Amino acid sequence: MSVTRRVPLLALLGAVLALGAYPVGWHVYMFLFVNVLLGWFIVLDAILTPRGKAFAVKWADNQDGHLYFKAENTLSFCVRNRSRHRLWIQALGGMGDAGRFFPTRAQDMTHFLEAGEEGTFSYEVVPAKRGSFAFEQIFLRYRGVLGFCVKHISLPCPVDLKVYPNVRDLSKFRLMMQKSRLLPQGDKVLRQFGNGSEFESLRAYVEGDDYRKINWPATAREGKFIVNQYQIERNQPVYILLDTARPMSYSVGGYKKLDYAINAALILSDIVNQQNDQAGLMAFDARVTANIKPGKGAGHRNALMETLYHIEGNRLTADYEGAFRALCEGQKRRSLVFIFTDFEILEEAEELIAHIAILKKRHMPIVVFMENEKLNKMAEAKAKGRKEKILRDTALEFQAERKKIFRQLNAMRIPNVESPAEHFAVSAVNRYLQIVRSTS
C-alpha cells in the first residue's frame, strides 16, 4: 500500500499551520494534531477501501492468444468492480516472468468504475521473441474510498499466448508483388533454361552443354548435334531449407538472424502459393528438426505457422549433407530449393559447398546468405591505432574469403544472394519471382 499525492500536500499544509502558530507557542501542538489527524484518515481509508476480492478479472473475448513477432499487438482484459464504491483503477498489465520479452505501451489502462461496473483495459506489446508464453496474473492499483491510500493487488488470470512470425507483412508483400515493386524497375529478366525439367524447344549444341540432353533423332535429321532445351515447370514444388544452427543464432539490430529468416520463409511460402506453386519447409541444425511437404492453401499455411513459431536457434554445427540427402530422399520431383543460411567461419561455408552437389543433381538450389554487417563495418572503419588496424585487416581478409565462396557457387552455376537482414525477405522473393517470370 502507498499514499496518494494529497497526503504530502496536506502534510505540507500542516507544516505551514505549525509555522504560523510558532509566535504563540502552539507550533508543536499544531504539528502533532495535523499529522495524527492525517494518519487517522489514512488508516480509516485503508479499512474502508475494499480488498482484492472485490474485483473480478478475465481476458477480453476478442483475445485469441495469438501475437505476432516484431509487430504491435493489443492485449485486452476486463475488470469488474464488485464493491459498493466508485473506484479509480489503474492496470499495470499482466506480463509476469515473460514481461522482459514484451516492450509495452499503455493504451487504455485507467478507469473510474462505478459499483458493479466492468471496464476493459488494453495495452500494446511488441514481442521481441517467438514462442509460447504463460501470463499468470493481472496487476492492479486502485485509490482508496477517501482518496488517501493506494492499494496494490495481483489477481490470477492465466493465459497462454503464442507469438507467431509476423503474418501482417503478408498483405504488404502481396500488394507489392501486384504492383511489380519487388523487382527493381529497369531490370531485364532473362529466360533461364537448362535448370528445369519441362521441355521448351530444340537448339544447336554448344561446347559445355550436357551430352545427356542431346536429342539423337533431331541430330540425325539435321546432321549436327541438337540438344533439348528445358525450362522450369509451373505448379512446381518450392522448398525452403532453414538453417537454425550456430551462425543464425547471432543478433542483428536487436533480433536474431534466425528470426529474420523465419519471417522471410513465411513470406516466401505465401508468395509461392500466390503463384500457384507449392511451398515446403525443412528446418535443420545437426539433424532435421522439421519437415513439411510442399503444399498450398490456408491449412498448409497454418501448418507452417505452427512449425515456425517455436523454432529456436542453437550453437550446433549444421549438417548440410544430412539435410540435403533427407530432402532428396523425400522429394523426388525436381524442385526449387531456397537455402537460408550464413556462415561465421569459412569451414562452415566450405561444408555447404562440398555437399550442395547432392542437391544440384536433382533440384535447383538457390542460397540466400545474410550479410555480415558487423564485418562490413569493421572493414570500412578507419584504423586509428595498431589494434584497430589489425581488426580492419582481419575483416578485409575475411571479406575477401566470403567473396571467394560466392565465386565458387557462381562457378558451380548455383544462384546465390547476400542480403542485409532487414531485406532478407525481399531478396528471397525477388530471386523467386525472377525465376518464375523468366519462364512465363
Side-chain angles (χ1 to χ4, degrees):
M1 188 181 77
S2 59
V3 296
T4 61
R5 292 181 180 179
R6 69 174 59 180
V7 171
L9 292 176
L10 290 174
L12 180 61
L13 177 61
V16 172
L17 292 175
L19 185 62
Y22 182 79
V24 295
W26 290 359
H27 56 286
V28 176
Y29 301 106
M30 182 61 70
F31 179 79
L32 291 175
F33 173 76
V34 171
N35 282 276
V36 169
L37 184 64
L38 186 58
W40 184 82
F41 272 111
I42 293 173
V43 172
L44 180 62
D45 194 19
I47 295 173
L48 294 177
T49 301
R51 299 182 179 181
K53 295 181 180 180
F55 302 98
V57 295
K58 66 175 183 178
W59 289 94
D61 295 336
N62 62 352
Q63 195 65 57
D64 59 4
H66 293 180
L67 305 180
Y68 299 101
F69 174 69
K70 286 179 60 180
E72 291 184 352
N73 301 264
T74 300
L75 290 179
S76 300
F77 54 89
C78 301
V79 178
R80 178 176 292 278
N81 177 13
R82 298 189 296 193
S83 73
R84 296 176 296 173
H85 306 280
R86 182 176 185 266
L87 297 173
W88 174 88
I89 302 172
Q90 183 180 45
L92 304 177
M95 300 311 244
D97 293 336
R100 63 187 182 277
F101 299 121
F102 295 80
T104 62
R105 183 171 65 188
Q107 193 176 42
D108 188 13
M109 298 289 277
T110 303
H111 287 283
F112 277 101
L113 295 184
E114 301 289 343
E117 185 182 4
E118 182 177 274
T120 300
F121 297 75
S122 60
Y123 59 103
E124 289 184 353
V125 296
V126 182
K129 186 176 177 64
R130 289 172 295 98
S132 180
F133 301 95
F135 287 9
E136 301 294 340
Q137 302 175 90
I138 297 294
F139 301 94
L140 303 177
R141 61 194 296 259
Y142 58 101
R143 193 178 297 157
V145 175
L146 302 179
F148 288 94
C149 70
V150 176
K151 289 190 174 183
H152 301 255
I153 59 171
S154 61
L155 301 173
C157 190
V159 65
D160 290 325
L161 297 178
K162 293 182 178 180
V163 179
Y164 291 94
N166 189 2
V167 296
R168 295 177 181 177
D169 285 341
L170 295 182
S171 58
K172 178 183 71 176
F173 272 78
R174 291 172 185 170
L175 183 61
M176 290 172 67
M177 188 183 69
Q178 291 172 2
K179 294 183 177 180
S180 299
R181 289 172 56 191
L182 284 173
L183 286 174
Q185 292 185 359
D187 280 7
K188 184 178 181 181
V189 179
L190 302 178
R191 296 178 68 82
Q192 298 184 1
F193 300 103
N195 292 316
S197 59
E198 185 175 303
F199 177 77
E200 166 69 14
S201 59
L202 298 173
R203 64 169 173 80
Y205 174 88
V206 295
E207 186 177 352
D209 281 340
D210 189 344
Y211 68 89
R212 291 173 297 181
K213 296 179 181 179
I214 294 176
N215 187 311
W216 292 108
T219 296
R221 289 195 307 270
E222 298 293 329
K224 60 180 181 179
F225 287 116
I226 301 295
V227 296
N228 294 328
Q229 190 164 246
Y230 298 92
Q231 67 177 5
I232 300 168
E233 63 265 35
R234 305 310 302 272
N235 194 28
Q236 64 181 333
V238 179
Y239 247 104
I240 300 169
L241 261 62
L242 187 62
D243 180 358
T244 64
R246 181 177 53 251
M248 302 299 281
S249 67
Y250 297 106
S251 296
V252 177
Y255 299 100
K256 290 184 178 180
K257 292 181 178 181
L258 180 60
D259 289 320
Y260 289 102
I262 285 176
N263 262 25
L266 184 63
I267 290 168
L268 177 59
S269 64
D270 184 74
I271 298 299
V272 165
N273 286 168
Q274 291 293 310
Q275 295 292 310
N276 291 320
D277 287 335
Q278 300 177 5
L281 173 75
M282 178 180 287
F284 68 97
D285 43 42
R287 61 185 180 85
V288 174
T289 56
N291 189 3
I292 298 180
K293 299 295 184 181
K296 61 177 70 174
H300 182 70
R301 190 181 74 178
N302 290 338
L304 288 172
M305 289 279 291
E306 289 297 326
T307 300
L308 289 172
Y309 95 89
H310 60 72
I311 286 179
E312 293 290 343
N314 53 59
R315 295 305 178 98
L316 300 175
T317 299
D319 181 9
Y320 292 106
E321 181 182 10
F324 295 163
R325 290 194 184 280
L327 177 61
C328 290
E329 291 171 4
Q331 181 63 29
K332 303 299 183 182
R333 184 181 172 190
R334 187 172 178 84
S335 308
L336 290 178
V337 180
F338 282 83
I339 307 168
F340 289 178
T341 187
D342 195 18
F343 58 95
E344 293 295 325
I345 57 176
L346 295 176
E347 287 79 3
E348 292 168 336
E350 290 168 354
E351 189 75 10
L352 168 68
I353 291 177
H355 299 294
I356 202 167
I358 298 172
L359 272 184
K360 195 171 185 296
K361 289 180 181 178
R362 185 172 295 173
H363 304 289
M364 179 181 176
I366 301 101
V367 188
V368 188
F369 293 105
M370 196 165 292
E371 186 177 289
N372 193 325
E373 297 180 4
K374 291 182 180 178
L375 178 69
N376 294 342
K377 289 180 180 179
M378 289 172 59
E380 296 170 0
K382 293 182 179 180
K384 297 181 181 179
R386 183 172 177 274
K387 182 179 179 180
E388 288 81 2
K389 186 177 185 303
I390 292 174
L391 288 174
R392 187 191 64 182
D393 292 344
T394 303
L396 288 170
E397 182 179 346
F398 196 87
Q399 211 175 46
E401 292 292 342
R402 280 182 73 92
K403 293 179 181 178
K404 181 180 177 182
I405 296 296
F406 302 149
R407 287 196 297 269
Q408 289 182 33
L409 289 171
N410 290 331
M412 297 171 68
R413 300 184 67 184
I414 294 175
N416 57 90
V417 182
E418 185 185 30
S419 169
E422 61 269 21
H423 298 145
F424 203 63
V426 174
S427 297
V429 171
N430 265 347
R431 178 60 68 173
Y432 166 72
L433 291 178
Q434 287 171 351
I435 294 172
V436 169
R437 294 177 182 179
S438 70
T439 62
S440 59

